[in-house]
Amino acid sequence: MRRRIRALVAPLLLALLLPVATACGGDSSAATSSDGAGSQGTVTLRIGDQGQSLLTTLKVSGQLKNLPYKVQFNQFDSGPLVNQGLQAGAIDFGVMGDTPAVFAQASGIPVKVIAVSKTVGPGYTLVARAGTGIKTIAELKGKKIAISKNTANHGFLLRVLDKAGLKQKDVTVVDVPLQNIGNVLESGTVDAATASEETRAKYLQDHPDAVQVINGRSVTPGYAFRLATEKALADPAKRKALLDFTARLVKANAWIRAHPDAWVDAYYVKIRKQTAALGKQVFQATGETSYVPIDDAVVRSQQEQADLFTENGQIPQKVDLSQQFDPSVTKDFNAALAAAQKG
């Protein structure tokens, strides 16, 4: 019966997801390798991107040239939506924050971690409106806080509350889409919000008296995850393509570090529609991102976060995050990471 339900649900979910992906600004139908370079081969990797971040990174760095396979980018608005794409079989690969990766395992989505990046920076910031009386974590108790449920800013909030011995039930969570966090804070309907660096910078420009209670630098490891479906990894041709694609991501990330102004113009100005000045400010404040080996520290951090969600009643029972890390996958993709970093 369970198999029959999944068989009925997956096509329906796929039909719902792909129009959304197209509407989010990506190209969900064309196999593309930009700059007119062309791609070849019979393998197509279906990529779950967010906000055109991967697509832009690969395009401006030249890493979409001379692909020995085809790529199809599907754009999503959040990690939980990428998870839905993976669950429906609409994509082979997805990028997301640490919290959606936890929920991928908790939901039983058949995926494995193939790459991890780490950003050394503030991540999210708990920003409180002026006049709310919030200056410390303890003063969050009983307040309304805007988050996007099951995204990285939700995990950030739980870590922040845990630091003061509080639980999610001690605050009123207002669940809004990631793109609306700043608007909800601006509206005054919440007391505080878990703001991305871009949202924080824009809000502080207009509200310099807002209180920045704490940021992720002291409570989160800064990990983001790249997941691939078990089906794609079991296909030798797709696994080979995923290894190459991951290496290209590593090289593209190195290109960004070497060409910050070009990246700010390509992404923050042209995609995010920010001024060059604000884009540069956000990029510099965000901190440096690098790809890191999948190791025990990564697994341990994810398990700790999963346990925190369970303790807060957001996951019904303990989840074993080690199941998301396959030793053979880890070995192969760590080797591809190391080779790309040397090259």
Side-chain angles (χ1 to χ4, degrees):
M1 178 64 71
R2 184 176 298 176
R3 289 180 179 175
R4 288 185 62 192
I5 292 173
R6 286 180 179 174
L8 290 170
V9 170
L12 175 60
L13 188 54
L14 174 59
L16 292 172
L17 281 170
L18 289 183
V20 171
T22 305
C24 292
D27 186 345
S28 67
S29 59
T32 175
S33 74
S34 66
D35 304 326
S39 59
Q40 54 189 337
T42 58
V43 173
T44 298
L45 288 183
R46 300 167 301 163
I47 307 300
D49 196 2
Q50 290 191 54
Q52 300 187 52
S53 59
L54 292 186
L55 175 58
T56 306
T57 299
L58 292 163
K59 284 177 66 176
V60 300
S61 65
Q63 289 299 322
L64 284 183
K65 294 179 179 178
N66 302 315
L67 290 173
Y69 47 87
K70 299 173 184 177
V71 286
Q72 174 184 304
F73 286 89
N74 299 278
Q75 299 299 330
F76 298 89
D77 281 342
S78 68
L81 291 178
V82 174
N83 274 337
Q84 290 182 26
L86 290 166
Q87 178 72 75
I91 53 178
D92 305 303
F93 168 102
V95 59
M96 63 188 67
D98 56 353
T99 301
V102 166
F103 277 87
Q105 181 64 27
S107 302
I109 300 175
V111 291
K112 299 298 181 187
V113 176
I114 65 171
V116 178
S117 64
K118 180 180 178 67
T119 300
V120 180
Y124 288 96
T125 299
L126 202 297
V127 178
R129 291 190 300 108
T132 59
I134 301 173
K135 294 183 179 179
T136 66
I137 302 173
E139 291 167 332
L140 295 172
K141 188 173 184 178
K143 302 295 186 180
K144 291 183 178 180
I145 305 174
I147 66 162
S148 295
K149 188 174 175 63
N150 299 348
T151 69
N153 71 15
H154 189 182
F156 163 67
L157 176 63
L158 293 191
R159 291 177 189 265
V160 167
L161 294 174
D162 186 62
K163 195 174 179 68
L166 299 175
K167 300 290 186 184
Q168 182 170 313
K169 65 182 181 180
D170 295 318
V171 301
T172 298
V173 164
V174 179
D175 181 21
V176 299
L178 281 173
Q179 294 75 18
N180 294 345
I181 290 286
N183 294 333
V184 171
L185 188 59
E186 182 72 39
S187 72
T189 56
V190 296
D191 301 300
T194 50
S196 67
E197 183 56 32
E198 185 175 342
T199 298
R200 184 205 67 81
K202 291 172 67 176
Y203 187 75
L204 266 291
Q205 280 186 338
D206 297 328
H207 304 276
D209 52 350
V211 179
Q212 300 179 71
V213 181
I214 188 173
N215 65 40
R217 194 184 298 273
S218 59
V219 293
T220 62
Y223 293 134
F225 288 76
R226 283 75 175 145
L227 307 180
T229 64
E230 293 177 357
K231 182 177 180 180
L233 289 167
D235 181 327
K238 280 202 172 183
R239 186 172 179 131
K240 182 179 179 180
L242 284 166
L243 284 163
D244 178 80
F245 186 77
T246 301
R248 289 172 185 267
L249 289 177
V250 174
K251 293 175 182 177
N253 185 68
W255 185 93
I256 288 175
R257 294 201 303 270
H259 303 84
D261 292 339
W263 169 247
V264 167
D265 179 68
Y267 186 67
Y268 288 102
V269 177
K270 291 185 170 64
I271 301 298
R272 301 294 300 168
K273 307 304 180 185
Q274 305 297 343
T275 65
L278 181 61
K280 186 173 183 178
Q281 176 188 340
V282 171
F283 175 71
Q284 291 177 340
T286 297
E288 185 172 300
T289 296
S290 58
Y291 281 81
V292 298
I294 301 169
D295 59 14
D296 291 343
V298 172
V299 180
R300 184 167 56 251
S301 174
Q302 286 296 84
Q303 187 63 59
E304 290 172 354
Q305 183 178 190
D307 293 344
L308 191 57
F309 270 89
T310 303
E311 292 166 10
N312 278 271
Q314 302 304 299
I315 295 178
Q317 58 189 13
K318 186 176 177 63
V319 178
D320 181 4
L321 262 294
S322 68
Q323 299 301 307
Q324 203 174 63
F325 301 85
D326 181 285
S328 68
V329 172
T330 297
K331 179 181 178 181
D332 287 351
F333 282 85
N334 276 355
L337 165 68
Q341 290 173 330
K342 289 180 180 178

